[in-house]
Amino acid sequence: MRHSLIRISLLALLAASGVSTMLVAACAGSEDDGAQAPREAGADAPLLGDASGDAAEAGASLGDPCGDPAGLQAGAPWPLRGGCPKRAGYSAAGGPVTATVKWSLLADAGATSPAISANGLVWVGTNEGDVIAVSPAGALLASLPTGAAVTSSPAIAASGFTIIGSTNGKLYAVDRVTHAPDAGADSGDDDADVAPTARSIFELAVGPVASSPVIGADGTIYVGTTDGKLVAVAADGSGSSWSVTTNDTSGSSPCIAADGTIYVGSSDGHLYAVTPEGSIKWSYQASGAVTGSPVVGGDETVYVGSSDGTLHAVTPDGSRLWTFATGGPISGSAAVRAGVVYVGSADKKLHAVATTDGVEAWSYATQGIVATPVVGADGSVYVGSTDGRIYVVRPTGSLFFAVNVKGRVSSAPAIGADGTLYVTTDTALVAVGP
């Protein structure tokens, strides 16, 4: 395992020094790989689009877009996948406004989404089995080996500890790095090829984890396991207080509504609503397996996609509000803001759908499967695709810009306090903007 840490660190140094051929680059007309340019509404789309901006949708109430964040680290700009307990994918900070790649750190982290702590550290897991902390400048600061692939996404608890699961069957709390982040990835230190080992605060056996934990206002950690359970864990990791059977084998991540209800999907085709005490309130039959996380809107409506390509809007009592059919399976999660829910699909499109009636406002076509989107303060939508690009789409569906990140994007990005967008690919952790 130490060998893998050395390899990641050496690759990071090569990337920082410009030696690696895997460095990402903005694709503002500089593509040389023969790939077809992104298309918009059936016509060739510029990689730098209309920079004038569009106003966010007016007249639609945001409601409570977040839920109660008391269990998460204060001041963390993006403490977990989806940004907040509801996982609505909304950031009060704006995202990047330039198609500039700040840095890339080579790591096989494409299955996870970044979390950003209050001091700007970026945490991700890797398929090589490590939990890594990266400075805002792209330096690998610390790593904790788990011995098995880490496809879970981290959550930053109120304590400042990073909570994350591993496919080895354990849930970890990892100590934050206590020294100040480095000024840059290329420090010139001869010992910089070995990252310090992060400190494990607790390791609790819960079952194999592929989902992102979510943390309640009282500090309780809720996490799904791929042996079919939703588990509630004490904030200090001393044990689990309950578990319920969900039959999930895919790793759907739970979310928490404003009233404390925990929602989680399952590969058995159901959306489950669970009380904080561990009782199932109801289950909703979707039209296919639910592999992504449910998300909760400002009016407490729950949105979840299924493997048959259907986006479901479900009321807090478990009733169907509406459904919307995309042209391919939905494996990720939606994002919701100001009366619009955004969802990616294997039909290679990002869809914008009205929260009131499920009518599509627009769609934007890419060249690959579209992953989980996030929304910035101005309504711009940031989303990756397996075509190797990050797209920034205006609230009206026009392209602002796209960046070639030279790797397949299958997970959700994260927005930092300064507007930097962090995204994982199957080859690297990439910082774009601001």
Side-chain angles (χ1 to χ4, degrees):
M1 183 57 61
R2 183 177 179 84
H3 174 74
S4 70
L5 298 183
I6 293 172
R7 189 172 71 84
I8 292 174
S9 298
L10 285 172
L11 288 171
L13 291 173
L14 289 172
S17 62
V19 175
S20 172
T21 60
M22 295 302 292
L23 280 173
V24 299
C27 57
S30 62
E31 278 288 283
D32 59 2
D33 57 5
Q36 182 180 2
R39 300 180 66 85
E40 179 180 5
D44 287 339
L47 293 179
L48 290 175
D50 177 13
S52 61
D54 301 302
E57 180 174 334
S61 174
L62 284 173
D64 173 12
C66 188
D68 191 339
L72 299 170
Q73 185 186 38
W78 202 266
L80 78 172
R81 178 175 176 148
C84 63
K86 285 187 172 183
R87 299 199 194 271
Y90 170 71
S91 171
V97 295
T98 61
T100 302
V101 173
K102 293 171 68 174
W103 51 260
S104 67
L105 175 72
L106 299 187
D108 184 2
T112 74
S113 292
I116 308 170
S117 67
N119 62 354
L121 296 187
V122 184
W123 291 85
V124 295
T126 75
N127 279 325
E128 292 185 334
D130 302 313
V131 181
I132 62 175
V134 180
S135 81
L140 178 61
L141 298 182
S143 179
L144 179 73
T146 72
V150 180
T151 58
S152 171
S153 299
I156 313 296
S159 62
F161 300 144
T162 297
I163 310 299
I164 192 168
S166 172
T167 55
N168 69 3
K170 293 181 180 179
L171 183 71
Y172 292 82
V174 184
D175 195 2
R176 59 185 178 270
V177 178
T178 54
H179 61 271
D182 292 352
D186 187 5
S187 66
D189 186 347
D190 291 339
D191 295 326
D193 59 341
V194 179
T197 299
R199 185 163 66 102
S200 176
I201 302 302
F202 69 71
E203 302 176 14
L204 180 69
V206 294
V209 177
S211 69
S212 171
V214 68
I215 302 175
D218 65 352
T220 301
I221 303 162
Y222 303 98
V223 63
T225 66
T226 56
D227 60 2
K229 295 178 182 178
L230 174 67
V231 184
V233 175
D236 62 1
S238 57
S240 59
S241 53
W242 53 258
S243 68
V244 296
T245 298
T246 65
N247 304 307
D248 182 45
T249 60
S250 62
S252 176
S253 299
C255 68
I256 305 177
D259 67 356
T261 299
I262 304 106
Y263 296 106
V264 67
S266 174
S267 53
D268 73 359
H270 288 87
L271 168 68
Y272 292 92
V274 183
T275 69
E277 295 74 34
S279 298
I280 295 179
K281 296 171 64 174
W282 49 260
S283 65
Y284 168 87
Q285 177 69 63
S287 47
V290 177
T291 59
S293 173
V295 304
V296 181
D299 64 354
E300 302 305 307
T301 299
V302 187
Y303 302 94
V304 67
S306 57
S307 60
D308 71 338
T310 303
L311 176 66
H312 299 257
V314 183
T315 64
D317 66 1
S319 302
R320 178 175 298 169
L321 182 61
W322 49 257
T323 60
F324 170 78
T326 71
I330 301 172
S331 57
S333 302
V336 60
R337 179 186 185 267
V340 182
V341 58
Y342 303 94
V343 68
S345 169
D347 65 4
K348 302 182 181 181
K349 295 178 181 178
L350 171 69
H351 299 268
V353 181
T355 58
T356 52
D357 54 13
V359 173
E360 183 172 76
W362 51 260
S363 65
Y364 183 85
T366 76
Q367 302 300 297
I369 297 170
V370 179
T372 298
V374 300
V375 186
D378 67 348
S380 294
V381 185
Y382 303 86
V383 67
S385 169
T386 57
D387 67 10
R389 292 182 175 91
I390 287 288
Y391 294 84
V392 183
V393 182
R394 291 300 193 183
T396 56
S398 62
L399 178 68
F400 182 19
F401 65 81
V403 181
N404 190 341
V405 292
K406 301 293 186 179
R408 295 164 60 91
V409 181
S410 301
S411 195
I415 298 177
D418 67 349
T420 299
L421 189 79
Y422 298 95
V423 61
T424 56
T425 77
D426 58 356
T427 59
L429 170 65
V430 183
V432 177

